[in-house]
Amino acid sequence: MNVLIIGCGAAGAAAAIAAAEQGHSVTVLDRNRKPLKKLGVTGNGRGNLMNNGPLRYYGDAAFAEAVLTHLPPAEVAAFLESCGISLVTEEEGRVYPAANLASVAVDGLLARMAQLGVEILPCTAAERIQPEKSGFTVYAAQTEYAPDQQKANGKVKKGEALGQRPLVLKAHRVIVAAGGAAAPAHGTDGTAYGLLTALGHALCPVTPALCALLTDPKPLKGLSGKRVRAELRLAAADGHTLHQSSGEALFADDGVSGIAAMQLARFYEPGCILHMDLRPGLMSDGSADAAAWLQNRRERLIRQESGDMPTLARLLTGSTQPVLQAALCRMAGLTEKEPATDGAIDRLAAAITAFSLPVTGVRGFDQAQVTAGGLLCSGFDPATLESRLVPGLYATGEMLDVDGDCGGYNLMFAFACGLLAGRHTTA
């Protein structure tokens, strides 16, 4: 049996290996010059491949849980190990290659595909899938490039595109694993959804996820590049909580990034507000009451400094950076030089507990790690990933209306989908 896979990311590679292990002839089309491009940079280059903790998915979370019931995380790990990828588990259940490099995972998957005789056609984009009586015809275009050139400084100049040639391929089974709309620089620009919507599948609108929040820049003056530990709450215009997260946040000139903020991006809606509780990064003694903590610091300073009332800046010295001190005072409607009176402390405590930023949007797909939305999962069988509309056609991973938190969840779902699809390409 001939199996054609569209896309050679995590899901596509897993599907290719699983189908080839069934004895099928497997061909993989990939838009990039090199396969598994996105996997090679995941986890800041370390390769956060999966997560052993509780499942954390959105969109059609029930579908994701069903997929991972049919192919549990332990089987994903066993598959990766079978490709020669040694794994280690770190905090919060995050699983990485033992070598701490995403590139070794890429190497392991490619080596296993080569061992099984999987054919990879690079620089090739599928344009249409035509169901036939005995399978499918896939129409594609392959871009041809001039040879790369070695420059005098040792760098390689990529050869320019020379043109495209059409390809017509026949297959008994087709697995679409072309990814979502996030990170188009790595070959996933959302155009592959059209391959399945043309065959009757419905698409849930897609939006960027796991990306920075854009906010009012005025409260962020001087904070760009500064990191804080915080508890974050994204609130709707009417005040109800859209989602919460905790961990590290990274300030930019025009917004907030870092994992804790990026987890909130998929829940953005117009008019929402980001409330940052900065106590975890300021109050190392575990105090819950910010006002009481500030009052205790004031009393200590008065004792140490001959009864003089400290300024607000002095009150915060040693607990946070001067630029954040200034931002907190601005948020409270105060100046750093004001005395730490009871009234000033109450206002400063409120700013610490709820450093509030109106959210104006999120970064675009070009800076997003994953896509929220996608093909409606009701159109696919979670046990096999086969289409309920077109027998012999499968969709996997980020193509579907499933996205997970940062921490390996999205790759784990992609691997599981690919394995199920590849193993169920039976006659």
Side-chain angles (χ1 to χ4, degrees), residues 17 20-22 38 42 53 94 131 145 210 221 255 269 272 281 296 320 376 378 397 410 414:
I17 291 169
E21 288 176 340
Q22 306 300 310
K38 192 173 181 181
T42 187
R94 299 177 184 225
Y145 290 89
L210 294 185
K221 181 181 178 182
E269 62 180 46
C272 65
N296 288 336
T320 190
L376 291 184
S378 57
N410 293 291

Side-chain angles (χ1 to χ4, degrees), residues 263-341:
Q263 306 276 41
L264 303 176
R266 79 168 321 280
F267 302 97
Y268 164 78
E269 62 180 46
C272 65
I273 297 175
L274 175 65
H275 298 290
M276 302 178 66
D277 185 343
L278 302 179
R279 286 177 290 179
L282 270 69
M283 300 160 57
S284 59
D285 62 357
S287 300
D289 187 329
W293 177 76
L294 290 168
Q295 289 166 357
N296 288 336
R297 291 175 70 87
R298 179 183 63 184
E299 297 311 311
R300 174 179 57 79
L301 289 169
I302 288 174
R303 290 194 304 270
Q304 292 176 348
E305 299 177 1
S306 304
D308 291 338
M309 175 70 75
T311 63
L312 293 176
R314 181 72 183 94
L315 197 63
L316 292 171
T317 298
S319 65
T320 190
Q321 304 167 78
V323 289
L324 184 54
Q325 295 173 18
L328 285 167
C329 288
R330 287 197 305 271
M331 182 67 66
L334 303 166
T335 67
E336 301 166 81
K337 296 181 180 180
E338 290 189 42
T341 62

Side-chain angles (χ1 to χ4, degrees), residues 73-156:
E75 289 191 38
V76 175
F79 161 71
L80 294 170
E81 294 273 5
S82 75
C83 294
I85 305 165
S86 300
L87 304 174
V88 294
T89 302
E90 298 188 2
E91 60 182 10
E92 299 180 339
R94 299 177 184 225
V95 179
Y96 295 85
N100 212 28
L101 290 170
S103 60
V104 303
V106 172
D107 293 342
L109 293 168
L110 290 177
R112 181 59 177 150
M113 282 190 278
Q115 182 184 45
L116 291 165
V118 172
E119 181 184 16
I120 300 174
L121 299 181
C123 310
T124 305
E127 297 180 332
R128 183 163 64 93
I129 301 171
Q130 178 65 50
E132 309 285 0
K133 288 184 178 180
S134 58
F136 301 86
T137 299
V138 175
Y139 298 89
Q142 186 173 53
T143 303
E144 297 178 319
Y145 290 89
D148 294 344
Q149 295 180 352
Q150 187 80 31
K151 299 175 71 175
N153 60 5
K155 295 183 178 180
V156 175

Side-chain angles (χ1 to χ4, degrees), residues 148-179:
D148 294 344
Q149 295 180 352
Q150 187 80 31
K151 299 175 71 175
N153 60 5
K155 295 183 178 180
V156 175
K157 180 182 179 181
K158 295 290 186 181
E160 296 181 357
L162 299 176
Q164 291 185 329
R165 66 185 184 96
L167 296 179
V168 179
L169 304 116
K170 300 287 187 177
H172 297 102
R173 300 287 184 269
V174 173
I175 300 173
V176 185

